[in-house]
Amino acid sequence: MNTVTPSAASDEVAIAISGMNKWYGQFHVLRDINLSVRRGERIVVCGPSGSGKSTMIRCINRLEEHQEGSIRVNGIELNNDLKNIDAIRRDVGMCFQHFNLFPHLTVLENCTLAPLWVRRISRQEAEATAMKYLERVKIPEQANKYPGQLSGGQQQRVAIARSLCMNPKIMLFDEPTSALDPEMIKEVLDVMVELADEGMTMICVTHEMGFARTVADRVIFMDAGQIIEENDPESFFNNPQSERTQLFLSQILEH
Amino acid sequence: MSESTQSKAVVNDTLIEARPAPSSATGPLRWLQDNLFGGWGNTLLTLLSLWLIWLVLPGALQWSLIDAVWTGGSDACRANPDGACWPFITQRWDQFLYGFYEESERWRVNLVLAGLFAGIAWLVWERAPARNLVGLFMLFGFPLLAYLFLYGVPALGLPVVSTDQWGGFMLTLVIALTGIVVSLPLGVVLALGRRSQMPVVRSLCIIFIEFWRGVPLITVLFMASVMFPLFLPDGVTVDQLLRAMVGVSLFASAYMAEVVRGGLQAISKGQYEGASSLGLGYWQSMRLVILPQALKIVIPGIVNTFIGLFKDTTLVLIIGLLDLLGMVQSALADAQWSIRSVPYTGYVFVGFVFWCSCYGMAIYSRRLEEKLNTGHSK
């Protein structure tokens, strides 16, 4: 994996989560989450399945609603005000485990849809931006194909390009490589590393520990809806503090 | 591999070139064997089908083509009552097409029909320019224009032809196309409403859908024709045809809503989330992402509803509107044509016209499905 320049995280806070709680019915999925992410910082979130890590990052752009506590993104309070939600979503890009590309649109149309209808820029400008990012993720030649004609790795790269077309200030990755064949994981991770290199604020839920080691400024370990441990990757992997973290690491690093 | 056997690595570093399939796997004989005579059950069914076709087809051809009367008038048919009596259709053709529409004004119907078919051809032809604009015009502008043209605008020199003179296939088309044009958008709105988070909107949509779905169309038409005028103040009348059209349209919308809802439910949550995460609002997500996919999935169901609606229009004859079937039936009452073969001929003709219209829709829907297929994976 490429080496990554140390992040140039500033002191400016991009995301501030404090005292966040969430329930599904009676089930307490997120418990007292406190997290502050500085601009330019790269965070990797890991933990066993069902630990609430996806739910947590999905709260940041309001795909899930939290019931207690506060989330501020770029200084905007996330509440029921639709204007705030829209403003936050415009600045926060997201990539999903199953890509969620729009199968009825070509790759290029997938990338220009939101810029055209949300940012209201001209088609010419939208297509130029889209081609720029498709080149960055190294698949400009697929621009006129449909997502169904691409491999999983290519689809995920398109999904990243699609998010970048909105010029987001923050990128959320929700297990972006979990649905990919092993051969394709690297091409996606390379794009993410490049993005990190350019100073994008990123939160990645992933099980790619190699990526976490090289890219992350901080690794967060979650279990049962709580943040159990939070540390720089060096200390996190070599000297995990909590028993739960040690067990998790021993299980995933064993094979 | 166990220790005892000599283990030897296998390496294949030349790629085996692809060859065409052997002729025994393709070709017409193979097709026959695969599709008609594969196993004794299949063979038995093939033979049974052939026997049924042999039983029906010769007689049908004999009656409708070979023994049929093609020229002359009712006398020729009376002389040969064992074959179809096509002169009955040709002589009454105008009536079957236009009903009692003023003869001197029938060019207006022709013009509207020509406009309709030109518009449809334009939309079916994939490389036609400005298809979006023509589509919008056909959906919103054309129906209004057609109505004004058919009904008449005395100020423009088009005398009024009141709707009780409309009839025949023209009336069938007017009712069916109104139903089609109204039911799809209304059905989409109702389907979205039924899945809404807002309890009031959702309840209203459910009540509307379940009410119209639960009442037989005949009852709807009777209510529109007999009961509805009772609720109107004295002196206010609403056109009989308009009432029927509203009834048919609302009825079809309820069915359409459920078809569309099926499509909406087939779209994965990820598509909604993908759209939201990009900042698209509710209506934008629906219009640009969700509905194009959902409607594509339910094209067979939509066309099914259209076909059902098209055929259900014949029910308007019970409230005194004479559509194609109604016209044919009333023509049968003519003593001059009281010949044994005439009713059969009339009903076969009606059946054939309806079948052609419906099969045309079916073919178009299949072509549309193929065209919109982009490889499905999400």
Side-chain angles (χ1 to χ4, degrees):
Chain A
M1 200 163 295
N2 318 2
T3 50
V4 177
T5 48
S7 87
S10 65
D11 289 339
E12 194 190 337
V13 175
I15 302 171
I17 302 175
S18 69
M20 175 173 70
N21 280 278
K22 175 171 175 61
W23 289 263
Y24 283 132
Q26 285 301 312
F27 181 58
H28 200 170
V29 273
L30 292 177
R31 309 178 190 190
D32 286 331
I33 303 288
N34 290 295
L35 177 67
S36 171
V37 181
R38 283 166 298 139
R39 185 155 318 290
E41 212 178 2
R42 282 105 53 159
I43 311 269
V44 163
V45 184
C46 60
S49 64
S51 59
K53 47 197 196 307
S54 287
T55 310
M56 180 184 77
I57 69 165
R58 287 156 59 86
C59 283
I60 295 172
N61 66 349
R62 229 341 131 94
L63 291 183
E64 305 279 353
E65 202 175 325
H66 62 284
Q67 278 98 34
E68 260 180 40
S70 85
I71 302 178
R72 292 179 74 84
V73 182
N74 294 327
I76 303 170
E77 175 79 32
L78 188 57
N79 48 24
N80 283 326
D81 190 340
L82 285 177
K83 238 188 266 158
N84 287 4
I85 296 175
D86 284 344
I88 288 172
R89 281 180 178 165
R90 273 199 293 272
D91 281 345
V92 179
M94 185 165 199
C95 289
F96 301 85
Q97 182 176 1
H98 296 289
F99 331 132
N100 298 353
L101 292 176
F102 307 135
H104 62 301
L105 300 177
T106 62
V107 165
L108 187 64
E109 288 166 342
N110 262 281
C111 293
T112 55
L113 187 76
L116 280 176
W117 292 95
V118 179
R119 293 244 187 256
R120 301 272 172 196
I121 63 175
S122 73
R123 178 168 295 277
Q124 207 180 357
E125 194 184 338
E127 285 183 356
T129 313
M131 287 315 293
K132 183 178 94 187
Y133 286 113
L134 285 174
E135 259 156 47
R136 259 199 27 210
V137 300
K138 300 183 185 63
I139 36 176
E141 72 282 359
Q142 314 283 8
N144 292 314
K145 286 196 183 164
Y146 287 96
Q149 297 167 298
L150 305 185
S151 72
Q154 291 173 322
Q155 290 193 47
Q156 192 61 288
R157 284 185 284 151
V158 171
I160 295 173
R162 178 176 75 173
S163 295
L164 293 179
C165 284
M166 287 293 282
N167 291 320
K169 299 197 178 81
I170 299 166
M171 282 291 292
L172 307 174
F173 291 87
D174 189 0
E175 306 203 25
T177 55
S178 303
L180 297 177
D181 289 338
E183 282 182 286
M184 294 165 185
I185 292 179
K186 185 176 176 299
E187 65 189 50
V188 171
L189 289 181
D190 282 349
V191 169
M192 291 168 63
V193 169
E194 224 174 89
L195 206 56
D197 250 344
E198 287 159 17
M200 177 67 79
T201 312
M202 292 164 72
I203 303 185
C204 312
V205 172
T206 181
H207 294 118
E208 296 297 328
M209 289 303 135
F211 176 80
R213 266 181 209 274
T214 45
V215 175
D217 295 312
R218 243 191 307 164
V219 180
I220 288 172
F221 174 70
M222 285 182 75
D223 189 28
Q226 282 183 50
I227 294 179
I228 303 285
E229 195 161 340
E230 187 180 332
N231 214 333
D232 61 278
E234 182 70 19
S235 327
F236 180 85
F237 288 109
N238 299 336
N239 186 20
Q241 301 295 308
S242 99
E243 228 172 274
R244 189 67 195 84
T245 316
Q246 288 158 11
L247 182 67
F248 176 77
L249 287 176
S250 74
Q251 271 165 347
I252 63 164
L253 297 176
E254 219 165 52
H255 52 88
Chain B
M1 204 171 283
S2 69
E3 292 289 313
S4 58
T5 56
Q6 191 91 30
S7 83
K8 193 153 193 213
V10 177
V11 179
N12 270 324
D13 52 6
T14 51
L15 209 61
I16 299 169
E17 246 176 80
R19 291 189 304 260
S23 62
S24 64
T26 54
L29 278 179
R30 178 69 192 203
W31 184 89
L32 278 178
Q33 197 194 344
D34 278 353
N35 294 289
L36 299 178
F37 301 104
W40 63 268
N42 196 342
T43 308
L44 202 67
L45 282 176
T46 303
L47 293 176
L48 188 69
S49 310
L50 286 174
W51 180 64
L52 283 174
I53 292 173
W54 179 77
L55 223 56
V56 175
L57 200 62
L61 291 177
Q62 186 84 24
W63 180 82
S64 63
L65 300 176
I66 298 165
D67 288 348
V69 179
W70 293 92
T71 52
S74 54
D75 301 335
C77 290
R78 211 177 294 280
N80 176 21
D82 291 327
C85 173
W86 298 120
F88 171 66
I89 307 296
T90 47
Q91 292 201 358
R92 299 262 173 164
W93 178 260
D94 280 357
Q95 226 180 54
F96 293 165
L97 189 55
Y98 305 104
F100 303 110
Y101 204 88
E102 214 73 66
E103 247 183 283
S104 57
E105 302 296 322
R106 284 182 184 171
W107 61 273
R108 278 154 55 179
V109 181
N110 292 341
L111 205 65
V112 167
L113 282 180
L116 175 71
F117 289 124
I120 290 176
W122 195 304
L123 295 177
V124 172
W125 182 35
E126 276 154 31
R127 286 197 215 135
R131 284 175 76 206
N132 288 347
L133 284 179
V134 175
L136 280 177
F137 172 73
M138 291 306 289
L139 219 52
F140 298 107
F142 184 77
L144 195 71
L145 222 62
Y147 172 76
L148 287 178
F149 210 69
L150 291 176
Y151 186 74
V153 186
L156 297 178
L158 296 172
V160 170
V161 181
S162 77
T163 54
D164 45 12
Q165 286 172 281
W166 300 16
F169 192 57
M170 163 205 162
L171 186 74
T172 301
L173 281 181
V174 166
I175 298 173
L177 291 177
T178 311
I180 285 172
V181 167
V182 172
S183 69
L184 187 56
L186 194 56
V188 168
V189 171
L190 286 168
L192 291 177
R194 191 164 183 170
R195 285 167 58 82
S196 161
Q197 307 277 337
M198 291 174 274
V200 178
V201 174
R202 192 173 57 230
S203 317
L204 284 177
C205 289
I206 291 176
I207 291 169
F208 182 94
I209 292 169
E210 297 302 347
F211 171 79
W212 288 99
R213 223 166 35 141
V215 181
L217 182 55
I218 294 197
T219 314
V220 172
L221 291 173
F222 270 135
M223 288 205 297
S225 151
V226 182
M227 276 178 64
F228 181 69
L230 298 180
F231 299 121
L232 291 177
D234 282 339
V236 178
T237 54
V238 178
D239 191 78
Q240 170 95 332
L241 175 61
L242 183 65
R243 278 178 274 153
M245 288 197 305
V246 170
V248 168
S249 301
L250 295 182
F251 186 81
S253 303
Y255 278 89
M256 194 58 76
E258 288 299 280
V259 170
V260 174
R261 189 166 69 97
L264 291 174
Q265 274 169 352
I267 303 298
S268 72
K269 211 170 145 230
Q271 292 291 309
Y272 293 88
E273 290 176 351
S276 303
S277 76
L278 287 169
L280 294 169
Y282 174 81
W283 290 107
Q284 284 178 333
S285 315
M286 289 300 149
R287 189 162 60 84
L288 301 167
V289 176
I290 306 300
L291 281 174
Q293 297 181 59
L295 292 179
K296 186 178 83 181
I297 295 173
V298 294
I299 286 173
I302 291 174
V303 175
N304 200 25
T305 310
F306 283 168
I307 288 177
L309 165 69
F310 194 81
K311 295 189 297 183
D312 280 351
T313 55
T314 51
L315 288 174
V316 297
L317 83 92
I318 61 151
I319 57 166
L321 294 173
L322 295 178
D323 73 324
L324 178 62
L325 179 62
M327 275 327 288
V328 170
Q329 217 161 15
S330 67
L332 290 177
D334 186 348
Q336 191 201 344
W337 289 100
S338 116
I339 305 163
R340 184 154 50 89
S341 60
V342 166
Y344 300 127
T345 311
Y347 290 129
V348 164
F349 169 71
V350 173
F352 185 70
V353 171
F354 272 97
W355 183 82
C356 285
S357 312
C358 295
Y359 191 60
M361 288 192 252
I363 288 177
Y364 181 62
S365 91
R366 232 180 307 163
R367 277 217 6 230
L368 200 61
E369 270 175 76
E370 277 164 26
K371 193 193 125 200
L372 295 179
N373 178 13
T374 57
H376 288 306
S377 78
K378 296 205 167 96

